[in-house]
Amino acid sequence: MSFVSRSGRGLPLLTAAVLGLLAGDAFAARISRLTPPSELFASGEESPVIARFLPGQRFDLQMTIEPDPGRTIVSFDFIVDDQSTLRPFWVDGELIHDPRATLTSTITETGPAATCIAASGRTTGASGCTLVAGLAGNATVISRRAYSNSRAGVHTLRAIARQDDGTTITATGNFEIVGIDAESGQVAKNIVIFLGDGMGAAHRTAARIVSRGYAQGKAKGLLAMDTFPNTGMVMTASLNSIVTDSAPGMQNYVTGNKANNNEEGVWPDDTRDAFDNPRYEYLSEYLHNLQGKSLGVVTTADVFDATPASMAIHTSARGNGTGIVDQFFDDRDQSGLAVLLGGGRKWFLPNPSDSTSPQPVNGSQRRKSNDYVLGDDIVNGWGVARGALDPERDLIAEFRDAGFRYAADKSGLDAAFNAGTPDKLLGLFSYSNMNVAYDKIAGRRGDTAVVDAFGFPDQPMLDEMTDAALKVLSKNPNGFVALIEGASIDKQAHLMDTDRWTLEVIELDRAIAVAKRFAERNPDTLVLVTADHECSGAAIIGAATVSAATLEADPDAGKGVVGIYEAARFPKYTMAEDGYPETTHVDGKMLIGYGANADRYETWLPSRFPTRDTQQPFPPSQSPANPSVRNEGAGYLVTGQVPGDQAAHTATDIPLSAYGRGAHHFNGVFDNTDVFFKIGQIAVGGAD
Ligand SMILES: [Zn+2]
């Protein structure tokens, strides 16, 4: 928010009018937000903390101007290194940036109370012109869409706006283009990212204890992810908090930039529209554009959920399911989307009445209120679909018409390969989040009560989905980017359902083994295993000192049965042929404490039904409403320190393990945004 450059470079000429305002006018016109975010703009510090991009990676420039009372903005520019970004700019014959829209620095239209102006000189559309509360009525938001720069190094960004009285308002920020070393060996053609949502070190250890067992103080075997040769620790903070949610937790890895909590593929702005925020390009979009790679998204969650959406979707509202799934489809030519597998059918089924009350019988939760229409500046600048408010849309039919084979269940997923491996694949195996491994495996073993109650008795396991996805994606000779998410490690850790999240980690690890075998056959593949953040502050506190039968007989026993230190010994589970424990209800079972916990009644017993998932259009009545009532009247009360009735995410660093081409780049302690630039180097420049 500087009128005066603190760095001494890019110093704007100060007009007499501006100096007059600086001399004491409390309502001095100012640029109150400059995007990309920079510490130079925010605090004046030329800090190493800076927005970074790969060469040619597109991103939006945006300023919010609060003019003097009664004044309007008549012209503007975004200046990078003393060059206007509103005109094409060459250095030594190289096109440094290329405006993809018709640009003019003259404002030709303004909105009613507040003004949102695209750099194309047009308003960003009715919905985009509503500013957040607290800004001056004549505040103006100006965007320069889809800018890119291919010159490595730190660049100064100066925003300039001129009022109708001639006053010039400026602000200075900066950003960095991270160069790619083109001389460093062979590239990774395929990038596979396993994201164990909420999976901290404790979750990994717990899955190892249960599935491999310990004896004489040593693990009797390793998880597939334990066998990866390189492991680092990742800092997971978002743009606005040390504690991230899953949206920035994922998108930071695949954009190189920090998002605010609940936002994906965008920076915060001052308009209310959740789909008009300043964007930046995803890894999928960048590598599809540059190399023709495909994108695969595989999750056990609803496919609109924060992690899968954070591979390709641009919105500041992670809950806007209708718009999110529409954008997956409508902008598939941007991302290269070829595989989409998970839950979330409720967003793909038509809802012509735009109603969710009563719940449509087909389960649809499509709504106008969480859909979008984009303004001209985004459509023209980025070359993306405009969108429409269309709850009546039959998106499964549209995917099919576009060449995707569709699978509704495990049998359908198998059948999709009967006539050969499809080129594109859509699988929607439940209305919202899929059932967890604990309940899917119970169903396969003959206890179908839970999967029947959800209405989806034939759901695939994540390793089966991974196998199908890799077969389809590997048909592209240019390679692919794949996200494979074990989503309910997080969801069940929030619910403090130890038995369920432990099996979720085992399910994820079985999928990792599938990808590791793929990478052994295809050495031009990089496989990463990580998490977006830790969830629940899970800690392996010990093991029960009593038998399973005793726990059942006395579910109020509580603290008295928690064996710590040597009393924990080595919990023993028996693994079945299907790769999962015969039961988690064993004598001397492993016990988990939660450091970010809400109140719960603890019995240390498995819960017959999963705790309520509010995303389900038809949640089964047998599910307990939340952890605080789950065992009420049976267990002992463990009081938590966080508000609400679920455990929360934590800011603890999480492990990242790497296998394959370029894996050695992932040692040490690094930021989640660093992962993007490591991948960029390995996929584009190569890894020595
Ligand atoms: Zn979570």
Side-chain angles (χ1 to χ4, degrees), residues 666-685:
F666 295 91
N667 285 336
V669 180
F670 42 87
D671 189 67
N672 52 14
T673 58
D674 291 334
V675 172
F676 175 78
F677 298 97
K678 293 175 190 289
I679 295 173
Q681 173 60 48
I682 297 162
V684 179

Side-chain angles (χ1 to χ4, degrees), residues 197 246 490 494 533 649:
D197 204 299
S246 290
D490 177 77
H494 276 292
H533 51 73
H649 299 176

Side-chain angles (χ1 to χ4, degrees), residues 197-198 244-246 318 487 490-491 494 532-535 647-649:
D197 204 299
T244 187
D245 79 294
S246 290
R318 58 172 278 183
D490 177 77
K491 296 180 193 305
H494 276 292
D532 42 1
H533 51 73
E534 199 275 344
C535 182
H649 299 176

Side-chain angles (χ1 to χ4, degrees), residues 151-173:
R151 271 200 305 178
V154 174
H155 300 274
T156 301
L157 168 65
R158 204 168 85 241
I160 298 181
R162 187 165 289 112
Q163 290 187 162
D164 55 359
D165 63 352
T167 302
T168 299
I169 310 162
T170 75
T172 303

